[in-house]
Amino acid sequence: PSVVAPFSGADTLGEAVAGSDIVIVPAGVPRKPGMTRQDLFETNATLNANFADAVAKNCPKALVAIISNPVNSTVPIFAETMKKHGCYDPKRVFGVTTLDLVRANTFVAEAAGVDVSTIKIPVVGGHAGASILPLLSQSTPAVKDKLSAEQVEALTTRIQN
């Protein structure tokens, strides 16, 4: 059985994760307009290191799903912190990048005039700017023919940023 209880603030973090089998880390702030990935990283890196400390001390065998952006940077920070505590297991710490898929599906559906619940845009690569590659030509259903070359370029940039 699982128990849900309220916790608030950094001083209760250890208690909040104590004995957990699964920890989901959405900690951090979302990227705001005008905020660079570096700004986002600087804010969220410390929060993720604090979570890693709490997990290492209170539930070192937990599976940890990290959602905090930028995921390609926050996962290594979490891993390095766990290594410092001597409890890192690469099969138990992973990043969740569903956001790129949701962004691609939403933005392309809007531009192509289709229902977002019916579209699937594969996204490959990393989770940082130009390394995010939406495969618009592989969408289901096919929508690239509904978009101009300028729209494809603008959508790709929008999905990456």
mmCIF file of all heavy atoms in Angstrom, residues 112-155:
data_model
loop_
_atom_site.group_PDB
_atom_site.id
_atom_site.type_symbol
_atom_site.label_atom_id
_atom_site.label_comp_id
_atom_site.label_asym_id
_atom_site.label_seq_id
_atom_site.Cartn_x
_atom_site.Cartn_y
_atom_site.Cartn_z
ATOM 1 N N ALA A 112 -1.148 22.327 -38.285
ATOM 2 C CA ALA A 112 -1.717 21.543 -39.375
ATOM 3 C C ALA A 112 -3.241 21.485 -39.329
ATOM 4 O O ALA A 112 -3.873 20.962 -40.241
ATOM 5 C CB ALA A 112 -1.147 20.127 -39.336
ATOM 6 N N GLY A 113 -3.821 22.004 -38.237
ATOM 7 C CA GLY A 113 -5.268 22.001 -38.126
ATOM 8 C C GLY A 113 -5.858 20.623 -37.862
ATOM 9 O O GLY A 113 -6.931 20.295 -38.372
ATOM 10 N N VAL A 114 -5.147 19.807 -37.070
ATOM 11 C CA VAL A 114 -5.662 18.481 -36.730
ATOM 12 C C VAL A 114 -5.832 18.372 -35.218
ATOM 13 O O VAL A 114 -5.252 19.148 -34.457
ATOM 14 C CB VAL A 114 -4.743 17.344 -37.247
ATOM 15 C CG1 VAL A 114 -4.617 17.396 -38.761
ATOM 16 C CG2 VAL A 114 -3.375 17.392 -36.600
ATOM 17 N N ASP A 115 -6.624 17.409 -34.801
ATOM 18 C CA ASP A 115 -6.880 17.171 -33.383
ATOM 19 C C ASP A 115 -5.607 16.626 -32.736
ATOM 20 O O ASP A 115 -5.058 15.622 -33.187
ATOM 21 C CB ASP A 115 -8.022 16.171 -33.246
ATOM 22 C CG ASP A 115 -8.410 15.868 -31.816
ATOM 23 O OD1 ASP A 115 -7.666 16.237 -30.879
ATOM 24 O OD2 ASP A 115 -9.462 15.241 -31.628
ATOM 25 N N VAL A 116 -5.146 17.272 -31.683
ATOM 26 C CA VAL A 116 -3.896 16.866 -31.019
ATOM 27 C C VAL A 116 -3.972 15.445 -30.484
ATOM 28 O O VAL A 116 -2.948 14.760 -30.396
ATOM 29 C CB VAL A 116 -3.500 17.873 -29.915
ATOM 30 C CG1 VAL A 116 -4.452 17.766 -28.728
ATOM 31 C CG2 VAL A 116 -2.065 17.648 -29.472
ATOM 32 N N SER A 117 -5.157 14.961 -30.160
ATOM 33 C CA SER A 117 -5.273 13.595 -29.623
ATOM 34 C C SER A 117 -5.084 12.530 -30.695
ATOM 35 O O SER A 117 -4.974 11.349 -30.379
ATOM 36 C CB SER A 117 -6.625 13.404 -28.926
ATOM 37 O OG SER A 117 -7.675 13.426 -29.873
ATOM 38 N N THR A 118 -5.023 12.943 -31.973
ATOM 39 C CA THR A 118 -4.881 11.966 -33.063
ATOM 40 C C THR A 118 -3.484 11.943 -33.669
ATOM 41 O O THR A 118 -3.224 11.143 -34.563
ATOM 42 C CB THR A 118 -5.885 12.266 -34.193
ATOM 43 O OG1 THR A 118 -5.546 13.522 -34.809
ATOM 44 C CG2 THR A 118 -7.311 12.301 -33.665
ATOM 45 N N ILE A 119 -2.593 12.805 -33.212
ATOM 46 C CA ILE A 119 -1.285 12.935 -33.864
ATOM 47 C C ILE A 119 -0.162 12.398 -32.985
ATOM 48 O O ILE A 119 -0.210 12.507 -31.765
ATOM 49 C CB ILE A 119 -1.020 14.408 -34.264
ATOM 50 C CG1 ILE A 119 0.169 14.510 -35.213
ATOM 51 C CG2 ILE A 119 -0.830 15.281 -33.055
ATOM 52 C CD1 ILE A 119 0.282 15.858 -35.894
ATOM 53 N N LYS A 120 0.823 11.826 -33.644
ATOM 54 C CA LYS A 120 2.023 11.361 -32.954
ATOM 55 C C LYS A 120 3.234 11.801 -33.783
ATOM 56 O O LYS A 120 3.375 11.409 -34.935
ATOM 57 C CB LYS A 120 2.018 9.843 -32.809
ATOM 58 C CG LYS A 120 1.014 9.344 -31.806
ATOM 59 C CD LYS A 120 1.173 7.863 -31.555
ATOM 60 C CE LYS A 120 0.275 7.308 -30.499
ATOM 61 N NZ LYS A 120 -1.042 7.757 -30.370
ATOM 62 N N ILE A 121 4.073 12.620 -33.170
ATOM 63 C CA ILE A 121 5.296 13.083 -33.808
ATOM 64 C C ILE A 121 6.464 12.425 -33.079
ATOM 65 O O ILE A 121 6.684 12.710 -31.900
ATOM 66 C CB ILE A 121 5.461 14.620 -33.719
ATOM 67 C CG1 ILE A 121 4.240 15.352 -34.252
ATOM 68 C CG2 ILE A 121 6.737 15.071 -34.411
ATOM 69 C CD1 ILE A 121 4.020 15.265 -35.735
ATOM 70 N N PRO A 122 7.221 11.547 -33.732
ATOM 71 C CA PRO A 122 8.402 10.993 -33.059
ATOM 72 C C PRO A 122 9.444 12.090 -32.817
ATOM 73 O O PRO A 122 9.627 12.982 -33.653
ATOM 74 C CB PRO A 122 8.948 9.963 -34.054
ATOM 75 C CG PRO A 122 7.895 9.784 -35.089
ATOM 76 C CD PRO A 122 7.047 11.022 -35.075
ATOM 77 N N VAL A 123 10.076 12.045 -31.668
ATOM 78 C CA VAL A 123 11.141 12.989 -31.334
ATOM 79 C C VAL A 123 12.342 12.165 -30.878
ATOM 80 O O VAL A 123 12.215 11.324 -29.996
ATOM 81 C CB VAL A 123 10.711 13.970 -30.227
ATOM 82 C CG1 VAL A 123 11.848 14.922 -29.870
ATOM 83 C CG2 VAL A 123 9.482 14.759 -30.659
ATOM 84 N N VAL A 124 13.496 12.411 -31.492
ATOM 85 C CA VAL A 124 14.718 11.697 -31.131
ATOM 86 C C VAL A 124 15.786 12.700 -30.735
ATOM 87 O O VAL A 124 15.621 13.899 -30.882
ATOM 88 C CB VAL A 124 15.223 10.794 -32.288
ATOM 89 C CG1 VAL A 124 14.182 9.748 -32.649
ATOM 90 C CG2 VAL A 124 15.591 11.627 -33.516
ATOM 91 N N GLY A 125 16.901 12.186 -30.252
ATOM 92 C CA GLY A 125 18.026 13.043 -29.899
ATOM 93 C C GLY A 125 18.072 13.310 -28.415
ATOM 94 O O GLY A 125 17.581 12.523 -27.606
ATOM 95 N N GLY A 126 18.655 14.427 -28.068
ATOM 96 C CA GLY A 126 18.819 14.803 -26.670
ATOM 97 C C GLY A 126 17.656 15.627 -26.182
ATOM 98 O O GLY A 126 16.573 15.620 -26.776
ATOM 99 N N HIS A 127 17.908 16.350 -25.134
ATOM 100 C CA HIS A 127 16.863 17.205 -24.574
ATOM 101 C C HIS A 127 17.449 18.595 -24.329
ATOM 102 O O HIS A 127 17.367 19.151 -23.255
ATOM 103 C CB HIS A 127 16.318 16.596 -23.279
ATOM 104 C CG HIS A 127 15.198 17.405 -22.690
ATOM 105 N ND1 HIS A 127 13.971 17.519 -23.301
ATOM 106 C CD2 HIS A 127 15.125 18.153 -21.580
ATOM 107 C CE1 HIS A 127 13.196 18.307 -22.578
ATOM 108 N NE2 HIS A 127 13.880 18.711 -21.524
ATOM 109 N N ALA A 128 18.102 19.107 -25.359
ATOM 110 C CA ALA A 128 18.707 20.426 -25.231
ATOM 111 C C ALA A 128 18.776 21.075 -26.609
ATOM 112 O O ALA A 128 19.551 20.646 -27.462
ATOM 113 C CB ALA A 128 20.103 20.330 -24.638
ATOM 114 N N GLY A 129 17.940 22.059 -26.812
ATOM 115 C CA GLY A 129 18.011 22.861 -28.023
ATOM 116 C C GLY A 129 18.072 22.045 -29.299
ATOM 117 O O GLY A 129 17.217 21.205 -29.559
ATOM 118 N N ALA A 130 19.119 22.293 -30.092
ATOM 119 C CA ALA A 130 19.239 21.683 -31.413
ATOM 120 C C ALA A 130 19.383 20.166 -31.387
ATOM 121 O O ALA A 130 19.229 19.519 -32.412
ATOM 122 C CB ALA A 130 20.423 22.302 -32.156
ATOM 123 N N SER A 131 19.655 19.571 -30.221
ATOM 124 C CA SER A 131 19.749 18.117 -30.163
ATOM 125 C C SER A 131 18.369 17.447 -30.130
ATOM 126 O O SER A 131 18.243 16.248 -30.285
ATOM 127 C CB SER A 131 20.582 17.657 -28.962
ATOM 128 O OG SER A 131 19.880 17.885 -27.760
ATOM 129 N N ILE A 132 17.313 18.227 -29.949
ATOM 130 C CA ILE A 132 15.938 17.723 -29.989
ATOM 131 C C ILE A 132 15.520 17.700 -31.465
ATOM 132 O O ILE A 132 15.471 18.746 -32.111
ATOM 133 C CB ILE A 132 14.978 18.634 -29.196
ATOM 134 C CG1 ILE A 132 15.404 18.721 -27.733
ATOM 135 C CG2 ILE A 132 13.543 18.155 -29.333
ATOM 136 C CD1 ILE A 132 14.682 19.808 -26.948
ATOM 137 N N LEU A 133 15.226 16.501 -31.980
ATOM 138 C CA LEU A 133 14.907 16.378 -33.396
ATOM 139 C C LEU A 133 13.502 15.820 -33.609
ATOM 140 O O LEU A 133 13.290 14.605 -33.573
ATOM 141 C CB LEU A 133 15.931 15.467 -34.085
ATOM 142 C CG LEU A 133 17.388 15.919 -33.971
ATOM 143 C CD1 LEU A 133 18.314 14.852 -34.517
ATOM 144 C CD2 LEU A 133 17.586 17.239 -34.675
ATOM 145 N N PRO A 134 12.535 16.692 -33.862
ATOM 146 C CA PRO A 134 11.194 16.212 -34.167
ATOM 147 C C PRO A 134 11.172 15.673 -35.600
ATOM 148 O O PRO A 134 11.613 16.348 -36.533
ATOM 149 C CB PRO A 134 10.329 17.462 -34.030
ATOM 150 C CG PRO A 134 11.257 18.605 -34.285
ATOM 151 C CD PRO A 134 12.618 18.148 -33.828
ATOM 152 N N LEU A 135 10.700 14.452 -35.779
ATOM 153 C CA LEU A 135 10.679 13.831 -37.104
ATOM 154 C C LEU A 135 9.322 14.066 -37.751
ATOM 155 O O LEU A 135 8.471 13.184 -37.814
ATOM 156 C CB LEU A 135 10.989 12.337 -36.984
ATOM 157 C CG LEU A 135 12.319 11.996 -36.298
ATOM 158 C CD1 LEU A 135 12.497 10.487 -36.197
ATOM 159 C CD2 LEU A 135 13.491 12.645 -37.013
ATOM 160 N N LEU A 136 9.124 15.281 -38.235
ATOM 161 C CA LEU A 136 7.829 15.670 -38.782
ATOM 162 C C LEU A 136 7.432 14.814 -39.978
ATOM 163 O O LEU A 136 6.249 14.549 -40.187
ATOM 164 C CB LEU A 136 7.842 17.148 -39.158
ATOM 165 C CG LEU A 136 8.161 18.126 -38.019
ATOM 166 C CD1 LEU A 136 8.121 19.562 -38.514
ATOM 167 C CD2 LEU A 136 7.230 17.936 -36.855
ATOM 168 N N SER A 137 8.412 14.327 -40.727
ATOM 169 C CA SER A 137 8.109 13.492 -41.894
ATOM 170 C C SER A 137 7.604 12.108 -41.503
ATOM 171 O O SER A 137 7.088 11.381 -42.345
ATOM 172 C CB SER A 137 9.356 13.351 -42.777
ATOM 173 O OG SER A 137 10.376 12.664 -42.070
ATOM 174 N N GLN A 138 7.739 11.757 -40.215
ATOM 175 C CA GLN A 138 7.322 10.435 -39.743
ATOM 176 C C GLN A 138 6.048 10.492 -38.901
ATOM 177 O O GLN A 138 5.713 9.528 -38.211
ATOM 178 C CB GLN A 138 8.451 9.808 -38.903
ATOM 179 C CG GLN A 138 9.769 9.681 -39.634
ATOM 180 C CD GLN A 138 9.651 8.817 -40.875
ATOM 181 O OE1 GLN A 138 9.140 7.712 -40.815
ATOM 182 N NE2 GLN A 138 10.102 9.330 -42.005
ATOM 183 N N SER A 139 5.327 11.602 -38.961
ATOM 184 C CA SER A 139 4.137 11.755 -38.125
ATOM 185 C C SER A 139 3.036 10.782 -38.514
ATOM 186 O O SER A 139 2.952 10.324 -39.651
ATOM 187 C CB SER A 139 3.608 13.189 -38.213
ATOM 188 O OG SER A 139 3.047 13.418 -39.495
ATOM 189 N N THR A 140 2.215 10.470 -37.516
ATOM 190 C CA THR A 140 1.026 9.658 -37.745
ATOM 191 C C THR A 140 -0.147 10.452 -37.203
ATOM 192 O O THR A 140 -0.153 10.766 -36.011
ATOM 193 C CB THR A 140 1.123 8.315 -36.984
ATOM 194 O OG1 THR A 140 2.324 7.669 -37.356
ATOM 195 C CG2 THR A 140 -0.061 7.435 -37.279
ATOM 196 N N PRO A 141 -1.093 10.825 -38.028
ATOM 197 C CA PRO A 141 -1.112 10.690 -39.482
ATOM 198 C C PRO A 141 -0.124 11.658 -40.130
ATOM 199 O O PRO A 141 0.368 12.576 -39.481
ATOM 200 C CB PRO A 141 -2.557 11.078 -39.839
ATOM 201 C CG PRO A 141 -2.952 12.041 -38.764
ATOM 202 C CD PRO A 141 -2.262 11.541 -37.512
ATOM 203 N N ALA A 142 0.146 11.445 -41.386
ATOM 204 C CA ALA A 142 1.069 12.317 -42.112
ATOM 205 C C ALA A 142 0.489 13.730 -42.173
ATOM 206 O O ALA A 142 -0.674 13.917 -42.540
ATOM 207 C CB ALA A 142 1.294 11.792 -43.524
ATOM 208 N N VAL A 143 1.283 14.717 -41.756
ATOM 209 C CA VAL A 143 0.811 16.106 -41.782
ATOM 210 C C VAL A 143 1.818 17.050 -42.438
ATOM 211 O O VAL A 143 1.491 18.199 -42.694
ATOM 212 C CB VAL A 143 0.487 16.643 -40.366
ATOM 213 C CG1 VAL A 143 -0.698 15.916 -39.775
ATOM 214 C CG2 VAL A 143 1.680 16.585 -39.467
ATOM 215 N N LYS A 144 3.014 16.556 -42.705
ATOM 216 C CA LYS A 144 4.041 17.454 -43.227
ATOM 217 C C LYS A 144 3.611 18.106 -44.543
ATOM 218 O O LYS A 144 3.955 19.259 -44.800
ATOM 219 C CB LYS A 144 5.370 16.709 -43.405
ATOM 220 C CG LYS A 144 6.515 17.649 -43.702
ATOM 221 C CD LYS A 144 7.851 16.978 -43.683
ATOM 222 C CE LYS A 144 8.943 17.969 -44.021
ATOM 223 N NZ LYS A 144 10.203 17.317 -44.280
ATOM 224 N N ASP A 145 2.820 17.384 -45.342
ATOM 225 C CA ASP A 145 2.353 17.953 -46.609
ATOM 226 C C ASP A 145 1.361 19.098 -46.411
ATOM 227 O O ASP A 145 1.086 19.852 -47.335
ATOM 228 C CB ASP A 145 1.742 16.864 -47.496
ATOM 229 C CG ASP A 145 0.557 16.159 -46.841
ATOM 230 O OD1 ASP A 145 0.493 16.112 -45.597
ATOM 231 O OD2 ASP A 145 -0.307 15.657 -47.593
ATOM 232 N N LYS A 146 0.857 19.272 -45.200
ATOM 233 C CA LYS A 146 -0.055 20.379 -44.882
ATOM 234 C C LYS A 146 0.712 21.624 -44.432
ATOM 235 O O LYS A 146 0.111 22.655 -44.166
ATOM 236 C CB LYS A 146 -1.022 19.975 -43.774
ATOM 237 C CG LYS A 146 -1.958 18.864 -44.155
ATOM 238 C CD LYS A 146 -2.894 18.531 -43.014
ATOM 239 C CE LYS A 146 -3.823 17.409 -43.427
ATOM 240 N NZ LYS A 146 -4.813 17.096 -42.416
ATOM 241 N N LEU A 147 2.037 21.500 -44.319
ATOM 242 C CA LEU A 147 2.861 22.578 -43.788
ATOM 243 C C LEU A 147 3.818 23.099 -44.848
ATOM 244 O O LEU A 147 4.387 22.316 -45.627
ATOM 245 C CB LEU A 147 3.664 22.079 -42.585
ATOM 246 C CG LEU A 147 2.870 21.454 -41.439
ATOM 247 C CD1 LEU A 147 3.802 20.772 -40.452
ATOM 248 C CD2 LEU A 147 2.017 22.504 -40.752
ATOM 249 N N SER A 148 4.044 24.390 -44.843
ATOM 250 C CA SER A 148 5.036 24.979 -45.747
ATOM 251 C C SER A 148 6.435 24.729 -45.192
ATOM 252 O O SER A 148 6.596 24.387 -44.007
ATOM 253 C CB SER A 148 4.804 26.489 -45.880
ATOM 254 O OG SER A 148 5.108 27.133 -44.644
ATOM 255 N N ALA A 149 7.443 24.900 -46.008
ATOM 256 C CA ALA A 149 8.834 24.743 -45.561
ATOM 257 C C ALA A 149 9.129 25.718 -44.419
ATOM 258 O O ALA A 149 9.835 25.368 -43.462
ATOM 259 C CB ALA A 149 9.798 24.966 -46.727
ATOM 260 N N GLU A 150 8.576 26.924 -44.497
ATOM 261 C CA GLU A 150 8.772 27.918 -43.449
ATOM 262 C C GLU A 150 8.124 27.465 -42.138
ATOM 263 O O GLU A 150 8.694 27.642 -41.056
ATOM 264 C CB GLU A 150 8.197 29.281 -43.866
ATOM 265 C CG GLU A 150 8.938 29.948 -45.008
ATOM 266 C CD GLU A 150 8.552 29.391 -46.388
ATOM 267 O OE1 GLU A 150 7.484 28.753 -46.527
ATOM 268 O OE2 GLU A 150 9.355 29.579 -47.321
ATOM 269 N N GLN A 151 6.940 26.858 -42.231
ATOM 270 C CA GLN A 151 6.263 26.351 -41.027
ATOM 271 C C GLN A 151 7.064 25.219 -40.397
ATOM 272 O O GLN A 151 7.200 25.156 -39.176
ATOM 273 C CB GLN A 151 4.854 25.861 -41.354
ATOM 274 C CG GLN A 151 3.841 26.957 -41.556
ATOM 275 C CD GLN A 151 2.490 26.381 -41.926
ATOM 276 O OE1 GLN A 151 2.336 25.684 -42.923
ATOM 277 N NE2 GLN A 151 1.490 26.674 -41.086
ATOM 278 N N VAL A 152 7.583 24.325 -41.236
ATOM 279 C CA VAL A 152 8.380 23.201 -40.721
ATOM 280 C C VAL A 152 9.597 23.728 -39.976
ATOM 281 O O VAL A 152 9.905 23.290 -38.868
ATOM 282 C CB VAL A 152 8.798 22.238 -41.862
ATOM 283 C CG1 VAL A 152 9.856 21.251 -41.388
ATOM 284 C CG2 VAL A 152 7.584 21.515 -42.418
ATOM 285 N N GLU A 153 10.272 24.701 -40.560
ATOM 286 C CA GLU A 153 11.447 25.287 -39.907
ATOM 287 C C GLU A 153 11.065 25.976 -38.598
ATOM 288 O O GLU A 153 11.711 25.784 -37.566
ATOM 289 C CB GLU A 153 12.131 26.278 -40.851
ATOM 290 C CG GLU A 153 13.423 26.822 -40.281
ATOM 291 C CD GLU A 153 14.179 27.708 -41.273
ATOM 292 O OE1 GLU A 153 14.013 27.522 -42.498
ATOM 293 O OE2 GLU A 153 14.923 28.579 -40.798
ATOM 294 N N ALA A 154 9.995 26.753 -38.619
ATOM 295 C CA ALA A 154 9.550 27.461 -37.414
ATOM 296 C C ALA A 154 9.091 26.477 -36.333
ATOM 297 O O ALA A 154 9.399 26.661 -35.151
ATOM 298 C CB ALA A 154 8.428 28.435 -37.765
ATOM 299 N N LEU A 155 8.373 25.426 -36.716
ATOM 300 C CA LEU A 155 7.923 24.425 -35.749
ATOM 301 C C LEU A 155 9.101 23.690 -35.125
ATOM 302 O O LEU A 155 9.125 23.450 -33.921
ATOM 303 C CB LEU A 155 6.980 23.421 -36.415
ATOM 304 C CG LEU A 155 5.559 23.908 -36.646
ATOM 305 C CD1 LEU A 155 4.824 22.988 -37.606
ATOM 306 C CD2 LEU A 155 4.814 24.019 -35.320
#
